[in-house]
């Protein structure tokens, strides 16, 4: 198989295990490309991609832009701040105006869950979801699973703990779908206030003791506390969160095994993870960033091929 | 469908030997020359050339694998995206003499893509091209091989099928297949 089953990447939920495997195999080749002296290939030279970001983003936007440029696509960037969105223009009107400029693909981040799904029903261009509200962030989950596969080999039977602010995270849900499709076991860990009640229905274990999660897992994917999404107090203070749910070096030293530490960034150093853990030899945080470009190149390449 | 045998194991072995001696005439001890096999089947031909050359000149020869998938000009014009293969160029090609090796030369487009792909690894001093089978009079672009194993005249309905033991076949056989005849 050399083609994705869908012309859009809206979420991991819609992908088959074969799709994920195809994306990984293609990304393996792109990882080789981005480590060459000349890191660019001409594959998408006849494609124009619009990065439409209705929410702030640094690394995801940079990573997509780099991936697009490494594939030789023409790139335009749109951010909602200072745009006609502030004047009351609808999402569909904004995107249709961009498409009228002969754009082939849209990479979109939006604060509303389902926004890219809505667009996919109304426009012809390929859509890549770069994060929709607290719903999904498929390319982050793919790069996370790709990084784990690189470190541990086959993910089948591996134990992955996702620790932190689950309820506000779009990464967590995509991670759960991706890892389960690759045959891994998933555990969720965090304060009860930050773990959604439906999560057990996805077939994951839930614990509130971080050390228990660390003892169980092969990989700890530690998520950021998303203070900007918290409109009520979910825990008394950052200091208390750090004391009860932060991962530090003493905890790792107490384990009778080595585990892999991951974090999708940006890191709140000293809150969910201490600096000595984030920068330790167990951490593959920077590998995740590097792999992000290869995974996004693979996704864009495969979707562009599907849109003839 | 009609099949005509172009080369069997014995003929292939003789052809590989002749190509190697032609290479040695031009590259002597291969001090400044490297081989690049084109994925997927060119690498098998390149491996055989390397083995024979090493047997004759009694020194190791550098061989890399080059995949052209991301450099092809027919991406998005095919039914499905192309699946890439491994690229392995574990040496510097800057200022080297490079011999690109492929199994079949047809339209010439793969060779053009290979030249583009090779550019990602540096600027060679000189590039030559070795094709095991040259389908004459079928070029879309002006590309010719420097070294040719066997030249055959073909028409559009014909195809060259390369079967090698490296692909799990019992013996080497290179066929000319004509799909227009029953």
């Amino acid at each position: 198989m050399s083609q994705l089953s869908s012309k859009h990447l809206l979420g991991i939920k819609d992908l088959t295990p074969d799709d994920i495997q195809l994306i990984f195999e293609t990304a393996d080749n792109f990882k080789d490309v981005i480590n060459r002296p000349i890191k660019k290939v001409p594959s998408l030279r006849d494609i124009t991609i619009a990065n439409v970001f209705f929410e702030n983003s640094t690394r995801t936007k940079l990573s997509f832009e780099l991936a697009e440029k490494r594939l030789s696509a023409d790139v335009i960037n749109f951010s909602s701040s200072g745009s006609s969105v502030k004047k009351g223009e609808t999402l569909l009107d904004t995107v249709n105006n961009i498409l009228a400029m002969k754009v082939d693909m849209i990479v979109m981040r939006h604060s509303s869950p389902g926004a890219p799904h809505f667009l996919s029903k109304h426009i012809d261009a390929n859509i890549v979801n770069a994060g929709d509200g607290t719903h999904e962030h498929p390319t982050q989950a793919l790069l996370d699973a790709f990084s784990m596969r690189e470190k541990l080999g086959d993910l089948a039977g591996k134990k992955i703990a996702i620790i932190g602010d689950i309820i506000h995270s779009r990464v967590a849900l995509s991670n759960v779908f991706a890892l389960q499709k690759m045959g891994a076991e998933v555990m969720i860990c965090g304060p009860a206030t930050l773990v959604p009640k439906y999560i057990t229905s996805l077939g994951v274990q839930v614990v509130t003791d971080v050390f228990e999660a660390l003892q169980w897992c092969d990989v700890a994917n530690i998520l950021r506390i998303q203070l900007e999404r918290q409109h009520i107090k979910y825990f008394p203070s950052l200091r208390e969160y750090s004391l009860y749910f932060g991962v530090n070096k003493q905890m790792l030293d107490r384990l009778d095994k080595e585990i892999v530490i991951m974090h999708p960034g940006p890191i709140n150093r000293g809150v969910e993870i201490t600096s000595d853990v984030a920068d330790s030899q167990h951490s593959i945080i920077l590998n995740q960033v590097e792999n992000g470009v290869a995974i996004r190149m693979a996704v864009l390449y495969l979707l562009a091929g599907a849109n003839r | 469908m009609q099949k005509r045998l172009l080369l069997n194991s014995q003929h292939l072995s003789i052809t590989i030997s002749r190509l190697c001696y032609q290479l040695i005439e031009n590259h002597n001890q291969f001090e400044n020359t490297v081989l690049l096999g084109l994925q997927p089947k060119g690498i098998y031909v390149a491996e055989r050339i390397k083995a024979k050359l090493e047997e004759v000149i009694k020194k190791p020869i550098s061989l890399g694998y080059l995949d052209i998938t991301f450099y092809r000009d027919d991406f998005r014009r095919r039914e499905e995206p192309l699946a890439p293969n491994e690229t392995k160029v574990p040496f510097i090609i800057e200022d080297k003499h490079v011999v690109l090796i492929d199994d079949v030369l047809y339209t010439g487009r793969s060779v053009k893509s290979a030249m583009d792909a090779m550019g990602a690894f540096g600027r060679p001093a000189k590039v030559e091209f070795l094709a095991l089978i040259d389908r004459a009079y079928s070029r879309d672009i002006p590309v010719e091989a420097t070294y040719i194993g066997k030249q055959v005249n073909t028409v559009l309905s014909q195809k060259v099928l390369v079967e090698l033991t490296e692909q799990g076949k019992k013996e080497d056989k290179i066929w000319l297949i004509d799909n227009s005849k029953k």
Side-chain angles (χ1 to χ4, degrees):
Chain A
M1 194 191 84
S2 60
Q3 193 165 21
L4 293 179
S5 59
S6 165
K7 67 173 277 195
H8 308 292
L9 177 62
L10 302 176
I12 299 290
K13 204 173 179 181
D14 312 318
L15 296 180
T16 65
D18 282 347
D19 286 332
I20 297 175
Q21 198 57 42
L22 175 63
I23 292 170
F24 286 175
E25 283 165 13
T26 311
D28 281 332
N29 289 284
F30 281 122
K31 189 153 181 194
D32 176 49
V33 167
I34 61 180
N35 282 300
R36 289 177 193 169
I38 296 170
K39 303 165 176 62
K40 207 172 168 90
V41 293
S43 302
L44 299 198
R45 65 188 154 199
D46 55 346
I47 297 265
T48 305
I49 303 177
N51 297 318
V52 183
F53 279 65
F54 290 91
E55 251 193 352
N56 293 335
S57 166
T58 306
R59 68 201 65 218
T60 303
K61 194 172 173 184
L62 280 179
S63 183
F64 266 111
E65 196 170 338
L66 200 55
E68 290 150 4
K69 287 179 173 170
R70 297 257 152 99
L71 289 166
S72 303
D74 290 319
V75 180
I76 55 172
N77 286 303
F78 168 92
S79 63
S80 60
S81 57
S83 76
S84 46
V85 172
K86 298 286 178 206
K87 299 172 189 168
E89 189 174 62
T90 65
L91 168 64
L92 195 54
D93 276 344
T94 303
V95 172
N96 272 328
N97 275 287
I98 292 168
L99 289 176
M101 297 175 207
K102 309 299 175 203
V103 166
D104 304 289
M105 297 177 84
I106 300 273
V107 174
M108 189 175 81
R109 169 166 288 193
H110 202 282
S111 56
S112 300
H117 303 71
F118 164 77
L119 269 193
S120 71
K121 290 181 174 61
H122 292 90
I123 63 174
D124 279 338
N126 306 93
I127 296 170
V128 180
N129 181 3
D132 59 330
T134 55
H135 182 215
E136 281 223 50
H137 191 352
T139 55
Q140 179 69 46
L142 289 167
L143 77 89
D144 287 346
F146 182 78
S147 304
M148 293 178 210
R149 167 183 172 267
E150 198 172 63
K151 188 79 181 170
L152 303 173
D154 189 8
L155 290 183
K158 297 291 186 303
K159 295 175 173 176
I160 321 295
I162 304 172
I163 300 169
D165 183 356
I166 311 298
I167 204 165
H168 297 106
S169 170
R170 48 188 155 219
V171 179
L173 199 55
S174 288
N175 264 176
V176 171
F177 293 141
L179 292 168
Q180 287 181 338
K181 281 176 198 258
M182 301 310 288
E185 286 182 64
V186 184
M187 175 183 274
I188 295 291
C189 174
T193 49
L194 290 176
V195 175
K197 291 211 168 14
Y198 68 82
I199 203 86
T200 47
S201 67
L202 301 179
V204 300
Q205 297 182 60
V206 179
V207 297
T208 51
D209 181 344
V210 172
F211 193 66
E212 186 185 340
L214 295 177
Q215 278 181 311
W216 175 83
C217 71
D218 300 306
V219 179
N221 193 10
I222 301 158
L223 306 183
R224 181 173 66 94
I225 291 294
Q226 306 206 24
L227 291 171
E228 75 279 12
R229 291 176 187 271
Q230 297 184 9
H231 306 299
I232 58 167
K233 277 273 185 190
Y234 286 87
F235 50 87
S237 69
L238 283 178
R239 188 169 170 274
E240 185 170 314
Y241 181 87
S242 155
L243 278 172
Y244 286 98
F245 295 98
V247 176
N248 57 47
K249 188 161 182 303
Q250 291 73 31
M251 284 176 169
L252 298 187
D253 289 344
R254 277 168 55 207
L255 296 174
D256 54 1
K257 59 175 180 177
E258 289 201 347
I259 62 167
V260 178
I261 298 291
M262 300 177 67
H263 193 301
I267 303 172
N268 290 320
R269 283 178 184 263
V271 179
E272 66 265 358
I273 184 170
T274 54
S275 279
D276 50 9
V277 172
D279 304 330
S280 72
Q281 57 178 3
H282 307 290
S283 160
I284 58 165
I285 294 171
L286 291 177
N287 302 60
Q288 288 176 265
V289 179
E290 181 188 345
N291 290 338
V293 178
I295 282 287
R296 286 168 180 127
M297 285 174 82
V299 166
L300 294 168
Y301 173 82
L302 291 166
L303 291 180
N307 185 26
R308 285 180 305 275
Chain B
M1 184 184 78
Q2 271 193 349
K3 281 171 96 176
R4 177 161 73 88
L5 191 63
L6 293 176
L7 290 177
N8 61 19
S9 288
Q10 190 193 0
H11 289 139
L12 179 61
S13 172
I14 294 167
T15 306
I16 296 277
S17 287
R18 174 175 52 79
L19 289 168
C20 287
Y21 283 107
Q22 287 179 341
L23 283 166
I24 291 167
E25 275 181 35
N26 290 340
H27 296 272
N28 197 14
Q29 287 293 300
F30 282 73
E31 293 91 351
N32 202 35
T33 302
V34 297
L35 309 179
L36 274 184
L38 301 194
Q39 288 276 24
K41 287 187 186 171
I43 64 168
Y44 302 134
V45 180
E47 289 282 8
R48 291 197 187 194
I49 297 267
K50 172 186 154 76
K52 183 69 187 173
L53 285 173
E54 288 178 343
E55 185 188 312
V56 177
I57 66 169
K58 309 261 186 271
K59 59 179 280 199
I61 306 249
S62 300
L63 166 65
Y65 298 163
L66 189 65
D67 183 54
I68 61 163
T69 308
F70 300 134
Y71 298 84
R72 292 179 65 118
D73 60 5
D74 57 353
F75 179 63
R76 301 181 72 238
R77 287 166 184 82
R78 301 171 74 99
E79 280 303 304
E80 286 192 350
L82 295 150
N85 294 293
E86 183 194 20
T87 287
K88 195 169 73 180
V89 186
F91 43 74
I92 305 290
I93 66 165
E94 187 80 22
D95 288 333
K96 295 276 186 199
H97 288 206
V98 176
V99 183
L100 292 173
I101 299 173
D102 206 356
D103 57 343
V104 180
L105 170 58
Y106 179 31
T107 62
R109 289 175 187 268
S110 296
V111 184
K112 179 183 173 290
S113 302
M115 308 273 262
D116 292 340
M118 195 175 50
F121 296 94
R123 180 182 180 274
K126 188 174 178 180
V127 183
E128 294 179 328
F129 179 54
L130 183 154
L132 184 60
I133 304 292
D134 175 13
R135 294 182 63 172
Y137 312 117
S138 55
R139 235 52 96 228
D140 287 350
I141 51 176
V143 167
E144 293 303 334
T146 326
Y147 308 95
I148 295 168
K150 187 179 177 72
Q151 194 170 52
V152 285
N153 294 340
T154 60
V155 292
L156 203 62
S157 62
Q158 292 173 321
K159 188 181 157 189
V160 172
L161 175 66
V162 177
E163 292 180 335
L164 300 173
T165 51
E166 289 90 335
Q167 301 164 255
K169 304 291 176 188
K170 272 189 183 165
E171 51 185 324
D172 301 321
K173 278 185 178 164
I174 299 176
W175 304 90
L176 182 63
I177 296 177
D178 196 336
N179 288 316
S180 66
K181 295 178 184 166
K182 295 198 174 169

